[in-house]
């Protein structure tokens, strides 16, 4: 069986990563999303085990110590990390898995998994990003400023990504994202077994 694809999705806070991935999952089978652990407090409506595994800083530090995370970062004062077990289990099952993680985490994943696919979701403009971030009404002004400043830092990493996905409309962006997955699955190096079967003489 072919191993699944490990797809990393990054992009500044407010760009709509979650919405694009959610829509893409509605449009295609075989796309799992990893649930990260975080020490951030839940936002209204966020459910433990669905949006994140919410942990205290102490619990998170224990996960680091026990090597339960593929990668982790400290982002705007909170810990975030990808649980190891779920990711390897899904990949072994041949499932394609999406990690929605920040730029530093993505660079670590690229170092560990050379075949991972790095996608960066961009807004049509910086002004539009600010408008979306304020529109969420879930963060105070200081947090919004911190996240906008962080967005500028994150844009510096764009060149290290394989694909840029413009999110001008969620539906369009989801289709763009799915077409990337489709093309990646057709890459020659991911189809060596098939090629072997076709080229080997009985
Ligand atoms: P938020 O607090 O808005 O949910 O997430 C803040 C940032 O943390 C986002 O850029 C998000 O993609 C990133 N993030 C979420 N989970 C992880 C993770 O497991 N690892 C890393 N490196 N970043 C994460």
């Amino acid at each position: 069986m072919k191993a699944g694809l490990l797809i990393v999705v990054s992009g500044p806070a407010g760009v709509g990563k979650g919405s694009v991935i959610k829509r893409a999952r509605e449009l295609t089978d075989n796309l799992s999303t990893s649930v990260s652990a975080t020490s951030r407090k839940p936002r209204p409506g966020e459910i433990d085990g669905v949006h994140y595994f919410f942990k205290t800083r102490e619990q998170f530090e224990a996960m680091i110590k026990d090597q339960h995370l593929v990668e982790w970062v400290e982002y705007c004062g909170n810990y975030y990390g990808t649980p190891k077990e779920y990711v390897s289990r899904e990949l072994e099952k041949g499932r394609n898995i999406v990690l929605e993680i920040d730029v530093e985490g993505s660079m670590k994943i690229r170092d560990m998994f050379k075949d991972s696919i790095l996608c960066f979701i961009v807004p049509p403009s910086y002004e539009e990003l600010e408008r979306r971030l304020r529109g969420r009404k879930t963060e105070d002004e200081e947090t919004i400023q911190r996240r906008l400043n962080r967005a500028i830092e994150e844009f510096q990493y764009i060149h290290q990504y394989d694909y840029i996905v413009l999110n001008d409309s969620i539906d369009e962006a989801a289709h763009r994202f799915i077409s990337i997955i489709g093309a990646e699955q057709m890459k020659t190096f991911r189809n060596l077994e098939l090629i072997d079967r076709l080229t080997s003489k009985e």
Side-chain angles (χ1 to χ4, degrees):
M1 197 213 313
K2 274 207 295 191
L5 302 181
L6 183 56
I7 306 150
V8 173
V9 173
S10 302
V15 79
K17 300 182 288 286
S19 307
V20 173
I21 294 168
K22 183 166 173 277
R23 183 74 188 117
R25 289 192 67 186
E26 289 163 4
L27 294 169
T28 179
D29 312 330
N30 192 10
L31 200 54
S32 303
T33 40
S34 156
V35 179
S36 294
T38 184
S39 65
R40 157 165 90 58
K41 296 271 172 293
R43 295 192 190 115
E46 283 185 332
I47 302 162
D48 188 36
V50 175
H51 298 93
Y52 281 106
F53 294 109
F54 293 101
K55 305 283 175 193
T56 61
R57 288 186 73 85
E58 293 69 32
Q59 287 169 332
F60 197 102
E61 281 160 8
M63 289 178 83
I64 299 172
K65 189 165 153 278
D66 297 338
Q67 302 191 341
H68 286 169
L69 301 170
V70 187
E71 61 75 39
W72 63 273
V73 293
E74 202 162 0
Y75 175 102
C76 292
N78 294 304
Y79 287 128
Y80 295 83
T82 309
K84 202 179 264 178
E85 202 191 311
Y86 180 77
V87 173
S88 35
R89 198 164 6 105
E90 291 298 288
L91 290 177
E92 277 164 23
K93 278 196 275 179
R95 302 271 310 160
N96 297 330
I97 183 161
V98 178
L99 308 183
E100 185 196 320
I101 62 178
D102 87 313
V103 290
E104 286 171 35
S106 303
M107 297 303 114
K108 292 182 194 165
I109 294 288
R110 170 48 60 82
D111 284 346
M112 277 183 285
F113 303 89
K114 298 292 177 210
D115 295 346
S116 54
I117 301 152
L118 269 52
C119 303
F120 197 98
I121 304 196
V122 293
S125 66
Y126 185 78
E127 290 70 28
E128 173 61 15
L129 180 69
E130 182 163 1
R131 200 185 62 74
R132 288 184 197 172
L133 200 51
R134 290 187 186 286
R136 295 213 292 216
K137 295 195 167 55
T138 48
E139 281 116 331
D140 58 24
E141 183 57 29
E142 192 198 328
T143 310
I144 290 173
Q145 280 310 328
R146 216 159 10 140
R147 286 179 176 245
L148 283 170
N149 291 339
R150 175 73 187 170
I152 295 170
E153 287 170 27
E154 290 187 321
F155 284 137
Q156 311 303 314
Y157 286 80
I158 277 191
H159 294 287
Q160 317 223 31
Y161 282 72
D162 302 308
Y163 296 96
I164 302 302
V165 180
L166 172 67
N167 183 17
D168 47 356
S169 113
I170 288 168
D171 213 51
E172 298 257 337
H175 278 98
R176 288 178 187 123
F177 182 57
I178 288 170
S179 68
I180 292 169
I181 298 174
E184 283 288 336
Q185 278 171 326
M186 288 183 274
K187 280 204 163 156
T188 309
F189 84 91
R190 296 194 203 278
N191 289 279
L192 296 181
E193 246 181 65
L194 171 63
I195 295 168
D196 254 10
R197 261 189 282 130
L198 292 170
T199 52
S200 66
K201 294 194 193 86
E202 287 299 303

